[in-house]
Amino acid sequence: MAAMDWAPLAQFEGVRGDRVALFSLDDGHWAVSWAYGQPHGPQLVSYAPGQAQDVFSTTRRQYEEREGLSYDSRVQWQGGSL
C-alpha cells in the first residue's frame, strides 16, 4: 500500500486545550481530527470534503460559544485557512 499524504487545511484550539484540525488526503478524502486531554485520546474521522468542512465549522462554532478559542488558524496562518 502506498503512503498517503495529509495536508492540514485549518485548525483551532479551545481555551481548555482541546485541538481540532481539518485535513485533506491526497486521494480526495478529507478528515477531522480531535485531540482531547486525558483521559481521552485523539480521534480521526474521514469524511467527504463538503461534510468535513461542515463538521469542522460546526465544531469550531460550538467551541467559540462554549469556551472560546486560544488559537485559530483563520487568524494565525499567513494566507488564511478555512
Side-chain angles (χ1 to χ4, degrees), residues 17 20 24 26 29 31 54 56 63 75 78 80 82:
V20 182
S24 68
D26 60 3
H29 285 86
D54 289 344
F56 180 81
Y63 271 84
V75 176
Q78 297 284 335
L82 297 175

Side-chain angles (χ1 to χ4, degrees), residues 20-63:
V20 182
L22 176 66
F23 296 94
S24 68
L25 184 59
D26 60 3
D27 74 350
H29 285 86
W30 287 35
V32 177
S33 166
W34 291 266
Y36 300 109
Q38 290 293 341
H40 308 288
Q43 178 182 14
L44 180 73
V45 180
S46 177
Y47 295 99
Q51 186 181 16
Q53 289 179 19
D54 289 344
V55 168
F56 180 81
S57 295
T58 298
T59 303
R60 179 168 49 197
R61 191 169 39 256
Q62 290 170 343
Y63 271 84

Side-chain angles (χ1 to χ4, degrees), residues 58-76:
T58 298
T59 303
R60 179 168 49 197
R61 191 169 39 256
Q62 290 170 343
Y63 271 84
E64 287 172 324
E65 293 170 0
R66 225 179 20 225
E67 67 186 65
L69 305 179
S70 61
Y71 175 85
D72 186 351
S73 63
R74 291 178 296 182
V75 176
Q76 303 297 328

